[in-house]
Amino acid sequence: MDLVLKNIGLLATPTGTAARKGAEQGQITLIENAAVGIEGEEIAYVGRSEDAPAGSEVVDCGGRLVTPGLVDAHTHLVFGGWRQKEMARKLAGESYLDILKSGGGILDTVRQTRAATEAELLEKGKALLETMLAHGTTTVECKSGYGLTTQDELKQLRVAKKLGECGPVDLVHTFMGAHAIPPEYKDNRQAYIDLVCDEMMPAVKSEGLAQFCDVFCETAVFTIEESRYILGKAVKHGFLPKAHADEIDPIGGAEMAAEMGCISAEHLIQASDAGIRALGRRGVVACLLPGTSFHLGKDYARARDMVAAGVAVAVCTDFNPGSSPGLNLQLPMYLSCHKYRLTPAEALCAVTLNGAAAIGRCESIGSIEVGKQADLVLWDAPDLDYIFYRYGNNLVDRVVKRGRVMR
Ligand code: IZC
Ligand code: ZN
C-alpha cells in the first residue's frame, strides 16, 4: 500500500453508493481500532488495525476519529468583495429580501463581481478553498449567479473550473444565472429569463462549465412558474436541475423541485408537509443550510420531519457573502444536531454520503469503502459525538485528499 492510516480509535462512515434516507440515514458503520490502506488515490483496505497491510507511508492516528472527507454540496464560492456593510441595515431591522429589493444584497455582490478580474477571483477562490480544506472539506459545489450577463457568468464559471483543476479540493459546478433579475432588466423580466435560457445555458454547456443548473425560487426573485420554465429549459440543454426552494416564504418550491425532478432542493425552511412528502417520493435530496438560519436569525428547516418522510438530508454551508459568510462546515454540523436534532450518525451522513448524492458523486466519494476515492478526515477527537459537541475551533487534525496527507 502507498499509505496506511493505522491505530484509528474509531472509524465512522456511512456506506453505499446511493443517498441514505429515513432510518438508513442514521445507520452508519463504526469500526474501533481500525486502519485504512490506500493505493494511489483509492481506498484499498478498510478493517482492523492489527490486520492492516504494510504501507510505504504509515500514519499513526493515535486513537483518534476518522471519517470520510466532508462534502459541501451548496456554496456560492466565487464572488467579488464582501457584504459586511449590510450588517448595520440588518441590525436596524431590514430583512434579507428588503435589502435585495432596494438594489443591495445579491445585486451588490453582482457589481463587485463584474468589477473583478478573472485573476482576482481566482486568487480569492484559492485562499477560500485552502481554508475549507483545513476544516475538513474535500469536495465543494460552486454556483455562479453573481455575473448575470453572459460574459460575467462565464467568467465566474471559468474561474470555478480553474479552481477545480488547480486542486487539491474537487469542485462541481452549477450554473445559476437565475439568481436575481439584474437592474438593467428590472422592467423586463422575461427578456432576462430568455437571456438565461437561450444564450447563457448553451454558452455554459458548449464550454463544459457546469453540470447542474439552479434557480432562486422565492418571493420577489423567481416565481414558481418562472422557475419551472427555467429548469425545464435547463433539462433540455442537458443540465441536472436544482432549486433554492421555500427558504423565506412557503410558496410551493419543494413541490416544484419534486415535479421538475431536481437532484436536490435547497434550504426548505418553509417547505409544506405536502412538499416534504413530494421530495421523499421523488428521491430529491434536501440540502439543508443551518448556517444561513443562524446568520439571518431565521427558523431552522424541519429536518426530523424530512427524515421521517424518507427524504435524504444533506447539510451544507451555503457559503456566500450575504446570508452565510462561513467556510467551516463544522458549524452547520453542530447546528444540525443542536437545532435540527439530527443524531451525530445522521449528521455525519448528511455531510458526507448524502452531500455526495446531492451532486451526483456518491459512486466515488462520501464514504470510506474499498474502491472509493481516498478523501478522509482525521479529527482531533476521541469519538463521533465529540465533533458535534465542541464548536468554535477547528477540530481537524489532518486531511487526506486523493490519497495524499495534506497537513
Ligand atoms: O449573495 O445573498 N440566498 N442566494 C440565495 C444567496 C443567498 C446568496 C447571496
Ligand atoms: Zn444558496
Side-chain angles (χ1 to χ4, degrees):
M1 298 272 160
D2 296 322
L3 173 65
V4 173
L5 307 188
K6 61 164 215 195
N7 196 18
I8 297 170
L10 182 69
L11 183 147
T13 182
T15 53
T17 53
R20 297 184 76 94
K21 42 191 95 152
E24 274 190 2
Q25 176 148 1
Q27 290 160 5
I28 62 169
T29 296
L30 299 171
I31 308 174
E32 289 177 3
N33 303 316
V36 177
I38 295 164
E39 294 263 31
E41 298 189 350
E42 257 186 32
I43 297 168
Y45 171 85
V46 181
R48 295 186 56 80
S49 205
E50 303 90 271
D51 309 327
S56 326
E57 185 184 352
V58 176
V59 172
D60 185 336
C61 296
R64 293 187 183 87
L65 171 74
V66 169
T67 71
L70 306 179
V71 178
D72 193 344
H74 181 140
T75 85
H76 306 251
L77 182 75
V78 177
F79 55 85
W82 291 93
R83 303 226 295 270
Q84 71 275 32
K85 288 201 176 69
E86 274 171 22
M87 240 171 66
R89 292 175 67 175
K90 282 185 182 147
L91 292 175
E94 274 189 86
S95 75
Y96 176 85
L97 285 183
D98 292 337
I99 294 171
L100 177 60
K101 280 184 219 155
S102 77
I106 294 173
L107 297 175
D108 188 25
T109 301
V110 168
R111 282 186 287 277
Q112 302 192 69
T113 306
R114 286 178 179 176
T117 64
E118 233 177 275
E120 286 164 352
L121 294 173
L122 190 65
E123 279 318 296
K124 181 173 176 179
K126 278 185 192 165
L128 297 173
L129 282 170
E130 235 173 75
T131 303
M132 291 178 117
L133 182 69
H135 288 86
T137 301
T138 49
T139 301
V140 172
E141 185 261 9
C142 170
K143 301 175 198 297
S144 71
Y146 292 127
L148 312 187
T149 66
T150 304
Q151 278 322 307
D152 289 302
E153 285 295 303
L154 291 174
K155 175 175 78 176
Q156 240 195 304
L157 287 168
R158 286 184 194 126
V159 168
K161 186 175 183 187
K162 279 196 192 138
L163 287 171
E165 287 163 359
C166 295
V169 176
D170 288 309
L171 262 71
V172 305
H173 306 101
T174 300
F175 167 61
M176 198 174 176
H179 193 197
I181 301 276
E184 57 278 18
Y185 284 92
K186 194 160 58 71
D187 301 317
N188 198 356
R189 304 175 61 82
Q190 191 56 43
Y192 182 67
I193 292 169
D194 290 341
L195 182 75
V196 166
C197 296
D198 303 334
E199 187 175 301
M200 294 185 191
M201 283 183 191
V204 169
K205 268 296 166 198
S206 78
E207 278 192 47
L209 292 174
Q211 184 184 7
F212 303 98
C213 179
D214 200 338
V215 55
F216 192 6
C217 177
E218 187 60 67
T219 303
V221 195
F222 293 93
T223 66
I224 293 286
E225 293 70 31
E226 289 167 344
S227 302
R228 200 182 273 130
Y229 177 84
I230 292 163
L231 293 181
K233 287 272 190 170
V235 169
K236 286 205 183 92
H237 286 295
F239 293 94
L240 294 175
K242 288 176 173 271
H244 282 57
D246 298 325
E247 174 185 357
I248 297 165
D249 289 324
I251 61 171
E255 290 88 332
M256 185 278 299
E259 176 199 327
M260 297 309 294
C262 286
I263 185 166
S264 66
E266 327 293 303
H267 289 288
L268 301 168
I269 294 171
Q270 302 294 342
S272 69
D273 291 340
I276 291 172
R277 283 195 300 272
L279 297 175
R281 269 198 309 275
R282 289 297 298 263
V284 181
V285 178
C287 284
L288 303 186
L289 311 166
T292 309
S293 295
F294 175 72
H295 187 71
L296 295 181
K298 296 281 186 183
D299 291 341
Y300 287 82
R302 294 190 287 141
R304 282 254 60 92
D305 291 344
M306 294 179 195
V307 172
V311 179
V313 170
V315 168
C316 330
T317 59
D318 191 22
F319 174 69
N320 75 75
S323 61
S324 187
L327 294 161
N328 179 359
L329 192 49
Q330 293 165 48
L331 177 65
M333 285 165 64
Y334 171 87
L335 294 170
S336 67
C337 287
H338 296 267
K339 295 293 182 179
Y340 291 158
R341 314 209 83 75
L342 296 182
T343 65
E346 289 169 333
L348 179 70
C349 180
V351 291
T352 56
L353 190 66
N354 283 2
I359 52 173
R361 294 291 188 280
C362 55
E363 303 259 321
S364 56
I365 57 171
S367 65
I368 302 175
E369 292 177 273
V370 171
K372 284 217 179 176
Q373 189 169 298
D375 293 356
L376 312 169
V377 180
L378 170 56
W379 296 90
D380 197 4
D383 57 39
L384 185 63
D385 288 350
Y386 191 87
I387 62 171
F388 297 93
Y389 147 76
R390 295 285 313 277
Y391 69 92
N393 57 308
N394 187 6
L395 300 171
V396 167
D397 179 76
R398 256 170 288 177
V399 174
V400 176
K401 178 63 194 170
R402 288 185 180 256
R404 278 174 50 218
V405 182
M406 301 310 300
R407 57 179 223 120

